[in-house]
């Protein structure tokens, strides 16, 4: 957790400011007035995001941008503190049976924004909705494969019954996005319209939503922690990163997510607060192994060797990233320095392609049996993803691989990626917490967000690899012993590198920029929380 009122990890970046002072635009903010001693009531905090949420219904969204938009309207059953410890939220306490198959949660007394009572029936409704295939919840894949039954013991007690042990059921299913409680009354009354006007128990409640423009939230005076100090929270959709920076400099935005290093330095020079923290995020090239061309191991290895990770980290990230060995970041308990790391080697990439029969043609593009080596590369203009897609495209061209960019808006991009409508794409995933999410990216073939689309493979050598991974994940899912879990995760990462199931690139730092007027916010796992925040202006 980082806050304006407490210490932050690696907050200062002043040692690098001189490198980019010439890029600064606008006038520095005036010297800050000494902060107030007591919180002030009222005001509006404005958050800028790069894309509209995929949905406002928690069951139908599963990307960081969407969750950051909706999180203030909802509460989880169990929360995590800044150290990853499980702490009470809508559940005040819980017990796990000795056999690990039964979880009993005791619930606090509160109400949803529409006045509906929050109770065990509402929790059962929320989870039964995830389990209903007709709903299409993205979190159905998080639930135990062998079945889950939710029992209402009484109004204030709910019990979850598993048919087999799921080692991460509590920290994932009960303490992450799938546990955001929704009002049964609102869902049943509104139907599909609930995705445009959601109802939760959180510190702020829905007021207005205009797609591709803004979402307006207002204070929940009945919030169980106590009414927030802020009157409203406005989330503005501003696709262009440069425009978001200009709007913050003008004083029209208070919080920026996923800020590029050059922009963070520029804003810090102008008097804004920059918070830097190690994230669980991994960025990589995702391969669609269900396509014949991408099932060729030599091609995947050549692509991985052709990317200059260190050069990109130095010039694009300005050092605010570390090279990835595999999916687990260096600060994860699952990081294993015996997992092979891919080094930039254009000569070796060319040799591998030559040996595989891909010869350079007159136009510089390789071909085999009269077929040019041209790949369909999915791209999106979200954040820095387009920049990175162009860099990858250029570096692959240097070894004779041509890529055709198919650029889509964020929501359509995600759908096309999940459906396997691509050969490769620059991609990024962030785990919820490194202590529970093992590899950190989706290598489980049956996971919704799997990075290789092995779930679409039905025959051939890729099916054997998919089944080998499935066996590893099956064991991981029922293994509680940390030493054995680490060993399994190491095997998964080594298999991924041996078969080049993805081309791992780097782990970028999380960079947030916040108004110096904003006090007592919390940052937990890459999300800013505002339930007790206030504005000193």
């Amino acid at each position: 957790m980082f806050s304006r009122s407490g210490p932050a990890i690696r907050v200062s970046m002043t040692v690098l400011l001189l490198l980019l002072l010439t890029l600064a635009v606008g006038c520095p903010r005036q010297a800050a007035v000494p902060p107030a001693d007591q919180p002030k009531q009222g005001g509006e905090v404005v958050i800028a995001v790069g894309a509209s949420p995929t949905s406002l219904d928690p069951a139908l969204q599963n990307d960081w941008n969407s969750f950051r938009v909706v999180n203030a309207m909802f509460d989880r059953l169990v929360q995590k503190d800044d150290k990853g410890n499980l702490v009470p939220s809508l559940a005040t306490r819980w017990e796990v049976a000795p056999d690990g198959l039964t979880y009993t949660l005791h619930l606090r007394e509160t109400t949803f924004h529409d006045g509906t009572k929050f109770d065990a029936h509402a929790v059962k409704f929320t989870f039964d909705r995830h389990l209903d295939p007709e709903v299409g919840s993205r979190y159905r894949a998080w639930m135990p494969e062998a079945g889950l039954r939710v029992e209402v013991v009484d109004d204030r007690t709910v019990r979850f019954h598993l048919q087999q042990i799921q080692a991460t059921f509590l920290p994932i299913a009960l303490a992450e996005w799938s546990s955001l409680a929704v009002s049964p009354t609102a869902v049943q009354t509104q139907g599909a319209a609930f995705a445009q006007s959601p109802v939760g128990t959180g510190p702020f409640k829905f007021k207005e939503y205009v797609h591709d423009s803004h979402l307006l939230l207002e204070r929940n005076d009945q919030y169980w922690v106590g009414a927030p100090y802020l009157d409203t929270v406005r989330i503005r959709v501003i696709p262009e990163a440069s425009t978001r920076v200009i709007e913050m400099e003008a004083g029209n935005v208070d919080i920026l997510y996923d800020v590029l290093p050059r922009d963070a330095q520029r804003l810090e020079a102008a008097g804004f607060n920059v918070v830097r923290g190690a994230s669980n995020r991994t960025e990589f090239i995702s391969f669609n192994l269900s396509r014949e061309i991408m099932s060729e191991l030599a091609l995947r290895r050549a692509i991985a060797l052709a990317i200059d990770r260190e050069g990109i980290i130095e010039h694009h990230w300005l050092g605010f990233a570390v090279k990835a060995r595999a999916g687990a970041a260096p600060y994860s308990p699952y990081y294993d320095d015996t997992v092979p790391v891919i080094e930039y080697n254009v000569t070796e990439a060319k040799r591998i392609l030559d040996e595989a029969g891909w010869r350079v043609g007159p136009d510089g593009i390789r071909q085999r049996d009269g077929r040019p080596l041209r790949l369909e590369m999915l791209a999106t203009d979200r954040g820095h993803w387009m920049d990175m897609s162009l860099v990858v495209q250029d570096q692959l061209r240097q070894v004779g691989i041509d890529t055709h960019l198919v650029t889509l808006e964020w929501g359509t991009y995600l759908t096309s990626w999940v459906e396997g409508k691509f050969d490769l794409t620059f991609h990024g995933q962030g785990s919820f917490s490194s202590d529970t999410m093992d590899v950190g990216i989706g290598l489980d073939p049956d996971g919704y967000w799997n990075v290789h689309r092995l779930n679409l493979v039905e025959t051939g050598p890729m099916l054997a690899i998919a089944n080998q991974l499935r066996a590893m994940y099956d064991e991981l899912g029922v293994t509680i012993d940390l030493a054995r879990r680490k060993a399994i995760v190491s095997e998964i990462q080594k298999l991924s590198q041996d078969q080049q199931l993805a081309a791992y690139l780097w782990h970028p730092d999380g960079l947030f920029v916040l108004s110096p007027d904003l006090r007592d916010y919390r940052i937990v796992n890459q999300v800013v929380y505002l339930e007790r925040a206030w504005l000193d202006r």
Side-chain angles (χ1 to χ4, degrees):
M1 175 179 67
F2 310 108
S3 74
R4 181 75 170 90
S5 58
I9 298 176
R10 295 184 289 176
V11 170
S12 177
M13 288 193 252
T14 54
V15 294
L16 293 172
L17 288 179
L18 292 177
L19 295 176
L20 291 171
L21 283 178
T22 56
L23 297 180
V25 174
C27 299
R29 296 169 69 89
Q30 295 180 350
V33 175
D37 293 330
Q38 297 297 323
K40 296 180 179 179
Q41 190 76 38
E44 178 175 274
V45 162
V46 179
I47 304 171
V49 296
S52 292
T54 54
S55 175
L56 297 182
D57 182 345
L60 303 180
Q61 54 83 36
N62 194 7
D63 68 292
W64 284 98
N65 181 68
S66 298
F67 178 69
R68 286 166 170 169
V69 169
V70 307
N71 85 88
M73 292 184 282
F74 296 92
D75 290 309
R76 310 176 193 206
L77 291 178
V78 179
Q79 184 61 276
K80 294 177 183 177
D81 64 17
D82 60 306
K83 296 181 176 61
N85 299 314
L86 299 176
V87 296
S89 183
L90 289 177
T92 58
R93 58 189 175 90
W94 52 89
E95 297 101 31
V96 183
D99 62 5
L101 297 177
T102 304
Y103 294 74
T104 303
L105 277 66
H106 304 274
L107 308 175
R108 74 174 64 254
E109 189 171 346
T110 188
T111 59
F112 290 97
H113 300 152
D114 61 357
T116 300
K117 181 172 67 172
F118 168 75
D119 57 15
H121 297 279
V123 174
K124 177 175 171 56
F125 178 88
T126 296
F127 278 81
D128 284 350
R129 189 165 177 254
H130 289 314
L131 294 169
D132 183 355
E134 296 298 319
V135 172
S137 171
R138 304 277 175 88
Y139 303 114
R140 189 165 179 252
W142 290 18
M143 304 302 158
E145 290 184 10
L148 171 67
R149 181 171 64 87
V150 186
E151 175 194 3
V152 174
V153 179
D154 56 47
D155 276 2
R156 304 258 65 83
T157 311
V158 64
R159 186 166 292 143
F160 294 83
H161 298 273
L162 285 65
Q163 293 184 21
Q164 67 179 37
I165 291 175
Q166 185 176 26
T168 59
F169 182 72
L170 178 56
I172 299 301
L174 301 183
E176 288 297 348
W177 301 350
S178 57
S179 75
L180 299 181
V182 299
S183 164
T185 302
V187 173
Q188 293 166 341
T189 302
Q190 298 183 45
F194 182 81
Q196 301 298 313
S197 55
V199 179
T201 63
F204 295 91
K205 55 187 180 179
F206 176 86
K207 176 68 174 177
E208 175 183 85
Y209 177 50
V210 178
H211 184 73
D212 286 341
S213 174
H214 68 276
L215 171 69
L216 182 62
L217 311 179
E218 61 183 358
R219 179 174 59 240
N220 175 14
D221 289 323
Q222 307 305 315
Y223 190 48
W224 54 270
V225 173
Y229 295 110
L230 299 171
D231 288 333
T232 54
V233 174
R234 184 180 298 271
I235 297 100
R236 294 179 56 194
V237 180
I238 306 175
E240 291 293 330
S242 59
T243 304
R244 293 196 295 272
V245 172
I246 291 171
E247 284 291 276
M248 189 157 210
E249 288 174 324
N252 299 326
V253 169
D254 298 295
I255 299 173
L256 287 184
Y257 282 112
D258 299 328
V259 185
L260 294 177
R262 63 177 181 270
D263 293 331
Q265 292 176 342
R266 165 177 160 177
L267 290 167
E268 188 176 52
F272 293 91
N273 293 328
V274 173
V275 177
R276 176 189 181 189
S279 75
N280 297 320
R281 187 171 187 77
T282 306
E283 295 191 343
F284 52 93
I285 298 174
S286 173
F287 299 130
N288 179 6
L289 302 187
S290 70
R291 291 211 170 167
E292 181 181 358
I293 184 66
M294 297 313 303
S295 68
E296 185 176 336
L297 178 56
L299 176 58
R300 301 196 302 272
R301 283 180 173 163
I303 290 172
L305 289 164
I307 307 303
D308 183 7
R309 296 157 179 78
E310 291 180 347
I312 297 171
I313 289 172
E314 178 183 356
H315 296 291
H316 175 80
W317 290 107
L318 303 181
F320 293 107
V322 295
K323 186 164 62 174
R325 183 176 296 275
Y331 24 82
S332 166
Y334 293 98
Y335 180 76
D336 182 353
D337 61 9
T338 68
V339 175
V341 62
I342 305 300
E343 301 290 353
Y344 178 50
N345 192 329
V346 169
T347 301
E348 179 64 7
K350 291 179 178 179
R351 187 198 65 77
I352 289 174
L353 292 170
D354 286 338
E355 192 174 87
W358 291 106
R359 303 294 181 179
V360 178
D363 59 355
I365 301 304
R366 292 177 181 271
Q367 53 184 275
R368 185 173 65 191
D369 300 328
R371 174 187 180 182
L373 185 46
R374 182 171 292 112
L375 305 176
E376 185 177 77
M377 185 172 177
L378 200 60
T380 181
D381 57 3
R382 177 178 181 262
H384 66 286
W385 286 36
M386 192 66 216
D387 290 341
M388 290 297 97
S389 296
L390 292 171
V391 170
V392 169
Q393 182 184 48
D394 178 68
Q395 295 196 348
L396 294 185
R397 181 68 185 240
Q398 302 307 309
V399 297
I401 300 174
D402 188 26
T403 55
H404 170 62
L405 258 62
V406 178
T407 305
L408 304 173
E409 62 86 24
W410 178 238
T412 307
Y413 167 89
L414 286 177
T415 299
S416 295
W417 183 73
V418 168
E419 294 176 350
K421 297 178 179 178
F422 69 100
D423 289 324
L424 76 167
T425 179
F426 172 84
H427 203 75
Q429 288 185 355
S431 65
F432 304 103
S433 60
S434 60
D435 59 334
T436 58
M437 286 299 284
D438 47 79
V439 180
I441 70 170
L443 288 176
D444 182 352
D446 300 312
Y448 184 84
W449 292 119
N450 80 76
V451 305
H452 37 56
R453 297 295 106 194
L454 282 172
N455 61 306
L456 303 177
V457 175
E458 297 179 351
T459 60
M462 288 291 99
L463 182 59
I465 294 173
N467 288 335
Q468 189 176 354
L469 274 173
R470 286 188 175 103
M472 292 176 174
Y473 272 98
D474 285 346
E475 182 182 357
L476 186 66
V478 297
T479 300
I480 296 176
D481 179 72
L482 182 58
R484 180 56 190 153
R485 288 182 63 81
K486 288 181 178 181
I488 298 169
V489 171
S490 176
E491 292 171 14
I492 291 172
Q493 293 182 89
K494 288 175 179 176
L495 174 63
S496 179
Q497 287 292 56
D498 180 63
Q499 294 296 320
Q500 207 65 71
L501 301 183
Y504 300 99
L505 300 175
W506 45 72
H507 305 287
D509 288 338
L511 288 174
F512 302 82
V513 180
L514 305 102
S515 166
D517 301 328
L518 184 62
R519 310 278 191 238
D520 293 340
Y521 55 83
R522 299 185 301 128
I523 298 179
V524 178
N525 196 17
Q526 308 301 304
V527 178
V528 179
Y529 290 82
L530 299 170
E531 68 273 14
R532 305 309 293 162
W534 53 284
L535 289 167
D536 187 12
R537 64 182 181 223

